[in-house]
């Protein structure tokens, strides 16, 4: 495949610097975990660096300091940094939990960018800490190959960072594949899932977790939500992964609480704050502090849904199926304007899909369309509600979108999601459906990254899904020691435009492959 990026040696070379030096099993120090209490020395960044929402000419660089610091980013064409461009960043402090993001603009397209983050003492800018290095590739401006990975669900159901397994080792496996970027499809944390020091496994052996005070209970305060994001960055594999691969990140329910919706009042005895809207506001602030997302700011408003344009072959439409949804219900209402996206987001999505000139339009959905995901005995959590007939409830909004795609002759739509803790492939076809005014399309499911596995959900026939592949455990909450940790790979060929999806399992096995042809309204 004509990717045009070389053999990736430079990207690996840069990681011999500070990023890989931090990749020992040793975790950030206790002093670094409490920035406000540190008063001497130079600023440092033991949580590593990240880059998000990279396009052909731009990207967002993230860092967390161990104390107040002035953030500066330097970029170069090589890891020697002999000639640099300098980007002045913010003063990071307690207001953003000592995190900061610097926007890079005017970057050359289709190019490997080496960068380093410098943190300086605000009282004496000559006192600069050790640079923290990373690298990423900008999106191509011309037609050339693109390859990315996707998955979701990290540290769920009490399965945290296990030093006996080498931590989140799936990230090291994905890093070695050297894709252009990683799409995280939600549940980046499990704010409602405490991490205990040990868990007894089905065979009687013991799973050990790294623990922190913020992960000892459900997250309610802003500091507890922040601590959930910090927890994952204790893992050396994830830090090395972040230093090499840019991300496109969305959220789902567990960034706040399982199956939440706006306006919900909790009855869960573990929570003293019962108003989900209050919890969600704190969670979104922490999310915006810990991920470089182009449409969110830690100190202001914004939104998670957005489109990231990655060259002429690919646009990624990042959805938010959580913030604007109506209450979970049996889903049988004959009219539902709010649905799972809200009216404003649906209008945005239809408009941006119509405007897109990319060969492939990947719709990054934080929940599946045709899988029946229950919320208790009578309510439903996703789109499908088990009735295979004409669209009802949230299905009405999806039907409107699918009808728009067909009638506007929008080609190359592919749906990617996670959420259900197994991997599968579904083909949707009006020839099998109760609702027929749409063009065929594919949906691919992956995950979890490091969480419990769950049995496969049933299919709802409204949009005619046929499951061509599924791998799932037969019982609930199987531990990562039993396998069932998944990620997906998308490979777009620069010459033919073919899109190949591979469903992978931790350990490297390719479980399923599907090749899609460009230029078609339906597949």
């Amino acid at each position: 495949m004509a990717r045009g990026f070389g053999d990736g040696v430079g990207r690996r070379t840069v990681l011999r610097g500070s990023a890989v030096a931090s990749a020992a099993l040793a975790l950030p120090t206790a002093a670094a975990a409490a920035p406000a209490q540190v008063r001497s020395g130079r600023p440092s960044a033991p949580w590593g660096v990240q880059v998000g929402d990279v396009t052909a000419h731009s990207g967002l660089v993230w860092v967390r300091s161990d104390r107040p610091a002035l953030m500066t980013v330097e970029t170069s064409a090589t890891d020697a940094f002999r000639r640099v461009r300098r980007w002045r960043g913010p003063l990071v402090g307690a207001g953003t939990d000592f995190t900061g993001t610097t926007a890079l603009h005017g970057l050359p397209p289709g190019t490997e960018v080496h960068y380093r983050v410098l943190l300086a003492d605000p009282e004496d800018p000559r006192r600069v800490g050790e640079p923290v290095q990373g690298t990423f590739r900008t999106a191509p401006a011309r037609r050339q190959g693109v390859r990315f990975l996707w998955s979701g669900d990290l540290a769920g159901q009490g399965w945290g960072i296990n030093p006996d397994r080498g931590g989140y080792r799936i990230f090291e496996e994905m890093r070695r594949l050297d894709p252009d970027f990683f799409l995280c499809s939600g549940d980046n944390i499990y704010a409602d899932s405490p991490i205990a020091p040990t868990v007894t496994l089905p065979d009687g052996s013991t799973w050990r977790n790294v623990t922190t005070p913020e992960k000892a209970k459900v997250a309610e305060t802003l500091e507890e939500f922040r601590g959930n994001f910090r927890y994952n960055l204790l893992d050396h594999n994830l830090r090395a992964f972040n230093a090499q691969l840019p991300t496109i990140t969305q959220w789902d329910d567990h960034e706040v609480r399982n199956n939440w919706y706006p306006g919900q009042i909790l009855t869960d005895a573990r929570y003293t704050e019962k108003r989900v809207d209050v919890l969600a506001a704190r969670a979104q602030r922490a999310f915006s502090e810990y991920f470089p997302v182009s449409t969110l700011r830690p100190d202001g408003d914004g939104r998670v849904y957005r489109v990231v344009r990655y060259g002429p072959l690919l646009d990624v439409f990042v959805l938010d199926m959580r913030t604007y949804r109506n209450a979970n219900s049996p889903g049988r209402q004959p009219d539902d304007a709010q649905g799972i996206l809200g009216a404003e987001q649906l209008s945005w999505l239809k408009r941006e899909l119509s405007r897109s000139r990319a060969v492939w339009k990947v719709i990054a959905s934080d929940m599946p369309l045709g899988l029946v995901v229950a919320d208790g005995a009578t309510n439903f959590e996703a789109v499908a509600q088990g009735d295979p007939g004409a669209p009802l409830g949230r299905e009405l909004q999806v039907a409107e979108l699918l009808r728009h795609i067909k009638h506007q002759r929008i080609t190359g739509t592919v749906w990617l999601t996670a959420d259900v803790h197994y991997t599968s492939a579904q083909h949707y076809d009006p020839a099998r459906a109760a609702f027929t005014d749409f063009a065929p399309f594919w949906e691919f499911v992956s995950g979890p990254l490091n969480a419990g596995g769950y049995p496969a959900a049933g299919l709802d026939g409204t949009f005619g899904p046929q499951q061509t592949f599924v791998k799932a455990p037969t019982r609930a909450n199987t531990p990562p020691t039993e396998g069932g940790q998944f990620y997906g790979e998308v490979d777009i060929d620069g010459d033919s435009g073919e899109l190949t999806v591979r469903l992978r399992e931790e350990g490297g096995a390719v479980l399923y492959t599907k090749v899609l042809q460009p230029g078609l309204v339906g597949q």
Side-chain angles (χ1 to χ4, degrees):
M1 182 186 70
R3 294 185 66 218
F5 292 125
D7 61 6
V9 173
R11 286 165 61 75
R12 289 188 291 273
T13 301
V14 72
L15 296 179
R16 295 174 189 161
S18 59
V20 157
S22 69
L25 279 172
L27 302 173
T29 64
Q37 300 176 12
V38 179
R39 292 289 181 264
S40 62
R42 300 172 186 265
S44 64
W47 296 270
V49 287
Q50 298 179 62
V51 174
D53 287 9
V54 167
T55 69
H57 300 287
S58 65
L60 299 171
V61 176
W62 174 96
V63 76
R64 183 177 193 256
S65 177
D66 67 343
R67 70 200 72 194
L70 292 167
M71 178 184 181
T72 299
V73 178
E74 293 181 341
T75 63
S76 177
T78 71
D79 57 1
F81 289 92
R82 292 189 179 92
R83 298 180 62 184
V84 302
R85 292 180 67 184
R86 187 166 289 110
W87 313 80
R88 188 181 302 277
L91 171 64
V92 302
T96 59
D97 201 29
F98 303 90
T99 67
T101 300
T102 298
L104 311 183
H105 298 286
L107 301 174
T111 301
E112 184 175 318
V113 176
H114 298 263
Y115 70 95
R116 60 188 180 192
V117 177
L118 308 173
L119 296 172
D121 186 336
E123 302 299 324
D124 183 2
R126 297 169 298 178
R127 293 175 56 81
V128 179
E130 188 72 21
V132 186
Q133 295 181 213
T135 183
F136 63 93
R137 285 190 288 262
T138 52
R142 58 183 179 86
R143 187 178 173 119
Q144 62 188 52
V146 176
R147 185 163 54 89
F148 68 94
L149 307 178
W150 94 92
S151 189
D153 308 294
L154 186 59
Q157 292 74 48
W159 311 110
I161 302 169
N162 184 342
D164 299 334
R165 298 185 82 230
Y168 296 152
R169 62 190 189 189
I170 196 170
F171 284 99
E172 175 60 14
E173 182 176 313
M174 294 191 298
R175 184 188 71 83
R176 290 179 179 274
L177 292 175
D178 195 32
D180 295 306
F181 64 89
F182 176 66
L183 166 65
C184 188
S185 300
D187 293 342
N188 299 268
I189 62 169
Y190 275 70
D192 57 338
S193 182
I195 298 290
T198 61
V199 181
T200 301
L201 295 169
D203 64 2
S205 61
T206 298
W207 171 286
R208 290 198 305 127
N209 284 315
V210 172
T211 60
T212 65
E214 294 86 359
K215 287 299 298 177
K217 63 179 290 292
V218 296
E220 300 180 81
T221 68
L222 175 60
E223 179 55 31
E224 287 167 348
F225 283 109
R226 288 166 166 171
N228 273 255
F229 289 106
R230 285 199 303 270
Y231 177 83
N232 287 333
L233 294 174
L234 296 176
D235 181 71
H236 66 287
N237 302 295
L238 180 55
R239 295 197 305 273
F241 181 86
N242 286 341
Q244 181 172 331
L245 301 177
T247 59
I248 299 174
T249 306
Q250 65 189 138
W251 76 341
D252 192 35
D253 55 336
H254 289 286
E255 281 83 1
V256 181
R257 182 192 179 271
N258 185 49
N259 295 358
W260 75 274
Y261 52 83
Q264 185 181 21
I265 303 298
L266 302 180
T267 58
D268 189 333
R270 299 177 301 169
Y271 288 86
T272 57
E273 175 55 71
K274 305 294 187 181
R275 297 166 296 173
V276 161
D277 289 354
V278 173
L279 298 174
R282 293 168 181 168
Q284 188 183 78
R285 177 171 173 178
F287 179 90
S288 69
E289 291 169 346
Y290 275 84
F291 291 110
V293 173
S294 56
T295 52
L296 283 176
R297 295 181 304 157
D299 57 348
D301 294 328
R303 51 184 170 82
V304 173
Y305 70 84
R306 62 202 187 276
V307 56
V308 179
R309 306 194 187 279
Y310 205 85
L313 287 176
L314 176 65
D315 283 345
V316 181
F317 298 84
V318 183
L319 303 189
D320 180 355
M321 290 181 155
R322 190 56 54 180
T323 306
Y324 313 100
R325 64 166 53 200
N326 50 21
N328 291 353
S329 74
R332 301 299 200 271
Q333 58 268 38
D335 296 297
D336 191 349
Q338 186 173 355
I340 199 165
L341 296 173
E344 183 176 338
Q345 183 178 189
L346 176 62
S347 296
W348 164 86
L349 179 58
K350 291 161 65 177
R351 181 176 65 251
E352 292 300 327
L353 283 169
S354 296
R355 290 175 176 175
S356 175
R357 296 297 175 263
V359 174
W360 293 101
K361 293 92 173 167
V362 165
I363 301 176
S365 173
D366 42 306
M367 300 208 73
L369 297 184
L371 306 183
V372 181
V373 184
D375 179 20
T378 60
N379 294 337
F380 293 92
E381 158 70 351
V383 175
Q385 24 68 329
D387 180 348
L392 293 170
R394 293 169 178 164
E395 293 172 338
L396 291 162
Q397 197 173 63
V398 172
E400 181 181 344
L401 174 62
L402 296 180
R403 183 188 297 113
H404 174 83
I405 291 171
K406 174 187 173 182
H407 287 258
Q408 294 296 310
R409 298 197 60 78
I410 297 169
T411 62
T413 58
V414 178
W415 293 71
L416 302 181
T417 188
D419 182 68
V420 290
H421 296 235
Y422 61 87
T423 188
S424 68
Q426 287 81 235
H427 183 246
Y428 293 79
D429 193 321
R432 297 186 295 264
F435 173 77
T436 61
D437 194 11
F438 72 98
F441 66 94
W442 283 87
E443 174 188 58
F444 300 95
V445 180
S446 193
L449 289 161
N450 193 98
Y454 281 80
L459 295 178
D460 184 313
T462 298
F463 301 114
Q466 181 181 64
Q467 203 157 60
T468 62
F469 175 80
V470 62
K471 185 171 183 180
T474 57
R475 69 181 197 280
N477 197 18
T478 56
T481 52
E482 296 184 20
Q485 310 297 291
F486 303 108
Y487 60 97
E489 178 182 26
V490 175
D491 200 339
I492 306 174
D493 184 78
D495 296 323
S496 68
E498 286 184 342
L499 182 147
T500 301
V501 177
R502 301 180 184 93
L503 300 180
R504 291 178 172 267
E505 187 169 17
E506 182 184 56
V510 176
L511 305 174
Y512 175 84
T513 301
K514 181 65 183 178
V515 180
L516 305 180
Q517 299 301 317
L520 302 179
V521 177
Q523 293 283 338

